[in-house]
Amino acid sequence: MGSFRFLTAGESHGPGLTIVVEGMPAGVPISEEHIAVDLRRRQGGYGRGGRMLIEEDYAYITAGVTRGVTTGAPIALTIENKDYANWKDKVPPPITVPRPGHADLSGALKYQLDDMRLVLERSSARETTSRVAAAGIAKALLGELGVHVAGHVVAIGGVQAPVSTLPWAELFDRAEESEVRCEDTEASRRMIERIDEAKANRDTLGGVVEIVAWGLAPGVGSFVHWDRKLDGRLAGAVMSINAIKGVEIGDGFGAAARPGTQVQDAIRMREGRLIRATNRAGGTEGGVTNGEPIVVRAAMKPISTTLTPQPSVDVKTGLETVMEYQRSDICAVPAAAVVVEAMVAIVLADTYLEKFAGDNIAETRANMEHFLSSIGWTALV
Ligand code: EPS
């Protein structure tokens, strides 16, 4: 990692979030309104809690973009926490009973903090807002190079959407119309029902999201060393998202149960073009893109905070008790699809810049086109 870098700072109930993105070539059009579309997508979804009714996430660009175009300088973004107004004059009581499943206990032990609120403030999934904003920049770069990245929900609380045969672009358009970001109408209805049940039972739900990137060049990533492999970088980036507990690429865990003759993608020649009969590998072989769409799925555990109290210990008294409820969501899987999509876009922007570099986007594009024509690649869509 290093060609496209970003850092985030900010507390969930502090004044705001700050993002610095570095490594973008000059000449890429960037618009705050465009970034705002994904920020809005992240805020939505059936099952979200009260916080999203307060916020209207919007990233202001304060550096690195002049007259709507990148200059090559680091790009800075800031997002206001509207909820800050409700917190700034309050001194909330310290949290001394950790919520199981969150960073509360391990974070407080690590930093030797008496008040677990200080852990919660930074470990909150509010931080994923910053990642989606950074990904808005990554997506602008990928768009210039013909790459599309999109995400949808394939399961919530055990309700599984049937495998779709729609072309990717159509599938993702349909998913955006669903309150749970799921393309299948019947599955969406059952997922919503399941979320209502979880709410009534004072519980929470997880699920599975699927992200697809298409329009890819082959040869991006590396097979020569472990930390340069694209599949490893994707899995690490996706796993770093709050509540993500499993990642698979292509057939993933399913492939483990089948014999070797049934997990490969036959290489064929059609009208002078190399094609693959299937895409079981999910777009990477040996840690390198093969030109097929990248397909990444991520499993999100249910949000750890439940309205049903869970056993814990007051670390101040050493007595067993139950955790304190902190405002939360019943289900954030539709939002997670947007966040996983963001991390996939960021990793792809990084690996694309590593392969095609260039200080100006014209140079980056020319590098890519030169490479594709020198290998006789015509499958780029
Ligand atoms: C979130 C903001 C948070 C939570 C949620 C995600 O806001 P607040 O704590 O003020 O309600 O709604 O975070 C979690 C549930 C979590 O466990 O981290 C957001 O902006 O997405």
Side-chain angles (χ1 to χ4, degrees):
M1 284 273 200
S3 298
F4 179 102
R5 301 186 291 163
F6 78 108
L7 281 173
T8 75
E11 277 70 43
S12 183
H13 305 99
L17 310 171
T18 305
I19 303 110
V20 178
V21 174
E22 200 272 329
M24 278 288 283
V28 178
I30 303 281
S31 98
E32 288 177 352
E33 288 70 27
H34 213 77
I35 298 170
V37 172
D38 279 346
L39 292 174
R40 259 195 305 278
R41 289 174 65 224
R42 195 203 72 93
Q43 282 202 263
Y46 198 81
R48 292 286 254 155
R51 177 70 182 271
M52 291 303 110
L53 302 173
I54 301 169
E55 301 299 338
E56 285 168 55
D57 292 335
Y58 191 90
Y60 294 94
I61 299 171
T62 58
V65 176
T66 301
R67 289 185 286 279
V69 180
T70 58
T71 64
I75 298 165
L77 304 126
T78 62
I79 299 166
E80 186 195 347
N81 281 333
K82 292 212 184 300
D83 202 20
Y84 178 59
N86 306 319
W87 288 75
K88 68 177 171 26
D89 300 323
K90 284 188 198 141
V91 184
I95 297 175
T96 58
V97 184
R99 298 163 303 161
H102 286 290
D104 299 3
L105 180 57
S106 45
L109 291 173
K110 178 176 169 63
Y111 284 94
Q112 302 183 54
L113 301 170
D114 296 332
D115 181 3
M116 289 167 195
R117 196 176 293 284
L118 304 179
V119 177
L120 173 162
E121 280 296 335
R122 180 61 188 158
S123 64
S124 165
R126 178 85 192 129
E127 190 265 347
T128 62
T129 316
S130 302
R131 303 198 200 194
V132 172
I137 311 285
K139 280 184 172 182
L141 172 86
L142 294 172
E144 293 288 314
L145 303 173
V147 178
H148 307 268
V149 188
H152 67 139
V153 170
V154 294
I156 286 181
V159 175
Q160 190 87 36
V163 175
S164 171
T165 52
L166 290 173
W168 292 123
E170 199 181 327
L171 184 156
F172 289 111
D173 280 350
R174 282 179 57 100
E176 285 307 307
E177 286 163 21
S178 153
E179 277 187 284
V180 281
R181 191 156 281 116
C182 173
E183 167 273 323
D184 187 80
T185 315
E186 175 56 16
S188 294
R189 190 190 61 73
R190 286 175 42 231
M191 287 172 183
I192 289 169
E193 218 171 74
R194 203 53 75 84
I195 295 168
D196 287 339
E197 274 165 32
K199 191 175 184 180
N201 294 335
R202 303 169 76 77
D203 220 322
T204 57
L205 288 181
V208 179
V209 301
E210 180 179 72
I211 287 30
V212 181
W214 68 100
L216 294 161
V220 175
S222 178
F223 60 89
V224 305
H225 204 70
W226 71 270
D227 60 349
R228 293 173 60 195
K229 288 181 175 236
L230 176 61
D231 44 4
R233 287 155 75 167
L234 284 168
V238 171
M239 201 67 153
S240 77
I241 300 166
N242 312 47
I244 299 299
K245 288 291 169 191
V247 183
E248 63 176 13
I249 297 177
D251 282 1
F253 281 81
R258 294 201 299 271
T261 50
Q262 289 171 37
V263 295
Q264 315 310 333
D265 302 307
I267 305 172
R268 299 256 165 78
M269 206 68 185
R270 288 285 177 280
E271 294 157 23
R273 277 176 60 205
L274 282 171
I275 62 143
R276 310 309 286 259
T278 49
N279 184 23
R280 292 159 167 165
T284 65
E285 287 170 308
V288 181
T289 54
N290 62 8
E292 292 293 316
I294 297 260
V295 182
V296 181
R297 272 181 295 277
M300 183 187 201
K301 70 173 177 175
I303 301 274
S304 302
T305 302
T306 55
L307 275 159
T308 302
Q310 296 178 50
S312 186
V313 167
D314 188 333
V315 295
K316 208 168 145 202
T317 61
L319 297 174
E320 288 192 353
T321 175
V322 290
M323 71 187 199
E324 293 170 31
Y325 182 75
Q326 305 294 330
R327 182 178 58 193
S328 193
D329 305 310
I330 304 295
C331 176
V333 178
V338 181
V339 180
V340 179
E341 175 188 308
M343 291 312 288
V344 169
I346 286 167
V347 171
L348 285 174
D350 187 39
T351 41
Y352 257 72
L353 287 176
E354 196 176 274
K355 170 86 177 134
F356 302 118
D359 291 317
N360 187 291
I361 187 65
E363 195 185 342
T364 312
R365 200 182 297 108
N367 289 343
M368 186 180 81
E369 281 162 5
H370 178 260
F371 169 72
L372 293 175
S373 71
S374 61
I375 61 166
W377 187 260
T378 53
L380 196 69
V381 286

